[in-house]
Amino acid sequence: MAARALSPGTNDPVTTMDILDRFGDALCALQDRWWPSGVHADESDKVRLVRPTVDFDGVAHTMFEMVRQYGSSSPEVTLHLLKVLQITATCLRSEESLQVLREHVQAAYHDAHKALTNPRDLHRLERPTTGHSGPWKPGCRSNCP
């Protein structure tokens, strides 16, 4: 739904930004969730079934990847995506989950720098995206704390 709102026929970035807010809230709610391995064993611990599962990385990928790709040429969508990622990072405790978000931040910066040509938009990209103190400095694209 968030990516579809960015299609040329719809062109509704506000809906996308609202959905991104909900995605961030959902990831915070899922932070303490136990993610099943997908491996099922019998009483003697012999593996009987292995099935695909979803983990934090998969959920975050599904939430943010297409929005990042389709929204990279929209300064407002990209800035809002970065803001949501930074705010979401403040509620996560797992280093593994934070690394997943760092990767999304890095990809968003990379795509935005390729897609945006207006100097003002590029300048806005380098400024802080939120008043919240997240785990990244403005413009941090690698080796972020």
Side-chain angles (χ1 to χ4, degrees):
M1 191 70 162
R4 285 185 183 170
L6 295 173
S7 69
T10 307
N11 195 21
D12 183 10
V14 174
T15 296
T16 299
M17 292 188 296
D18 182 51
I19 293 169
L20 285 171
D21 290 336
R22 294 170 191 265
F23 285 169
D25 290 344
L27 284 180
C28 286
L30 291 172
Q31 72 167 324
D32 292 324
R33 184 184 194 283
W34 173 78
W35 301 92
S37 70
V39 176
H40 299 274
D42 62 17
E43 304 82 34
S44 63
D45 286 332
K46 184 174 182 177
V47 174
R48 295 294 183 179
L49 175 68
V50 178
R51 62 185 174 105
T53 61
V54 176
D55 58 7
F56 184 89
D57 185 26
V59 171
H61 177 82
T62 300
M63 290 176 166
F64 300 123
E65 196 73 9
M66 286 179 54
V67 172
R68 176 186 57 78
Q69 292 169 345
Y70 293 120
S72 64
S73 62
S74 169
E76 294 308 317
V77 171
T78 299
L79 290 169
H80 197 75
L81 172 60
L82 291 167
K83 175 182 174 184
V84 167
L85 290 168
Q86 183 155 349
I87 292 170
T88 303
T90 65
C91 78
L92 299 177
R93 293 184 286 273
S94 160
E95 182 56 39
E96 202 172 294
S97 297
L98 285 170
Q99 182 57 36
V100 168
L101 293 191
R102 282 185 196 102
E103 291 168 8
H104 284 282
V105 166
Q106 292 166 359
Y109 272 110
H110 175 79
D111 287 357
H113 275 281
K114 282 177 52 178
L116 299 176
T117 58
N118 185 300
R120 182 169 187 238
D121 293 337
L122 290 168
H123 176 71
R124 289 175 61 213
L125 186 65
E126 297 302 326
R127 287 191 331 211
T129 57
T130 176
H132 294 71
S133 57
W136 302 294
K137 298 178 182 118
C140 182
R141 288 183 283 305
S142 63
N143 298 322
C144 304

